[in-house]
Amino acid sequence: MLSTTIEIEAGHGVAEAYVTRPDESAHPGVLLYIDAFGLRPRIYEMADRIAGWGFVVMAPNAFYRHGTVEDLAAQGDLGDPAYRDEFIAGAMGRVRSLGSGLATADVGEYVDRLLELPEVSGDGVGVTGYCTGSALALRTAGARPDQVKAAAGFHGGNLVTDAPDSPHLVAKNARARLYLGHADNDRSMPIEKIEILEKAFDAAGLLYTSEVYPDAPHGYTMSDMASYRADADQRHFDTLESLLRENLTP
């Protein structure tokens, strides 16, 4: 893979972003939104795998307001449940900040920067997000309906809130093909919230798929954590590849 780190002039500072592509040719762009644990080797590995399907993938540090990738990096083993809980307790302030209008202000900058990359072809992008990144994926699809052709979210949390700019409400403006792969028995996205989301999407006439991955806990795609489930992760990759190939023009 051909990979590098770039800087993006975002809404309130400079955000680092990992960019990866399979070769020197031009390919459609895909925006990858990180989970609460930030940019790290597992995210790079996932971005590289998606790029290998024939895409240019950009994964920004969505928490740039709180520090650089190095500043926010885990100092312990995320596979250790005790350390994971300790890390996430400190990260919740960063996660909550992405539930506000600040996130919507950023997503347009990310889309624009991705489309400006000389190795990106076409005028539309795909989006995929994980955990809190799923909410960003929905916000991006709703904020940039003319440019986002496909958007997916996996084990997303808090996609339905009481806020007027809840992710499920912002997404009603989308014209992208949407996919959501929910975690099973997820306290951050229980079945009653999934039903609210689906009713809102139905009312808006969105083209979407929303399904629960059985026996797959929150974080099921993250192989550096105890929540990882290999079968659910493979299902996620298979589904995402089909979504991107079907909706992004080479």
Side-chain angles (χ1 to χ4, degrees):
M1 307 304 296
L2 302 178
S3 306
T4 189
T5 299
I6 65 171
E7 293 185 343
I8 302 171
E9 293 291 340
H12 295 81
V14 176
E16 301 155 279
Y18 178 73
V19 178
T20 183
R21 55 197 170 109
D23 51 45
E24 297 284 357
S25 301
H27 299 281
V30 174
L31 187 56
L32 188 159
Y33 286 123
I34 56 178
D35 63 355
F37 298 90
L39 277 175
R40 61 192 191 281
R42 172 54 177 167
I43 298 296
Y44 304 149
E45 178 183 84
M46 295 170 76
D48 286 347
R49 180 164 175 174
I50 296 167
W53 302 335
F55 301 102
V56 178
V57 181
M58 185 177 83
N61 172 23
F63 303 121
Y64 71 91
R65 290 181 181 82
H66 303 274
T68 65
V69 172
E70 182 177 0
D71 293 336
L72 303 178
Q75 301 302 310
D77 179 8
L78 292 173
D80 176 356
Y83 179 75
R84 179 188 181 281
D85 291 346
E86 176 187 338
F87 184 92
I88 198 64
M92 285 310 298
R94 300 194 291 271
V95 171
R96 283 190 290 269
S97 76
L98 294 182
S100 69
L102 294 179
T104 302
D106 288 338
V107 298
E109 300 289 345
Y110 298 149
V111 171
D112 289 343
R113 187 69 177 92
L114 178 58
L115 285 170
E116 288 170 359
L117 295 176
E119 58 268 31
V120 171
S121 61
D123 58 359
V125 302
V127 185
T128 185
Y130 303 88
C131 181
T132 190
S134 296
L136 289 179
L138 291 182
R139 291 185 184 280
T140 305
R144 291 298 183 94
D146 293 333
Q147 294 163 310
V148 177
K149 308 302 182 184
F154 299 92
H155 49 83
N158 300 311
L159 303 182
V160 174
T161 73
D162 295 330
D165 66 344
S166 171
H168 82 293
L169 297 178
V170 175
K172 289 165 66 175
N173 297 318
R175 292 202 292 272
R177 181 70 171 84
L178 304 176
Y179 178 87
L180 294 170
H182 306 286
D184 199 5
N185 294 310
D186 189 344
R187 290 180 297 174
S188 67
M189 194 62 190
I191 190 65
E192 56 267 26
K193 293 293 183 72
I194 294 174
E195 291 172 351
I196 292 172
L197 178 147
E198 292 174 350
K199 287 179 181 178
F201 283 11
D202 286 339
L206 301 185
L207 184 62
Y208 77 97
T209 299
S210 170
E211 52 190 3
V212 175
Y213 284 29
D215 301 318
H218 187 86
Y220 60 76
T221 65
M222 297 300 158
S223 61
D224 54 356
M225 297 184 193
S227 58
Y228 180 67
R229 297 294 184 274
D231 56 344
D233 184 34
Q234 185 60 52
R235 176 179 174 182
H236 131 261
F237 275 121
D238 291 343
T239 302
L240 180 61
E241 182 176 6
S242 295
L243 180 76
L244 296 176
R245 289 191 184 279
E246 291 169 6
N247 293 281
L248 295 182
T249 303

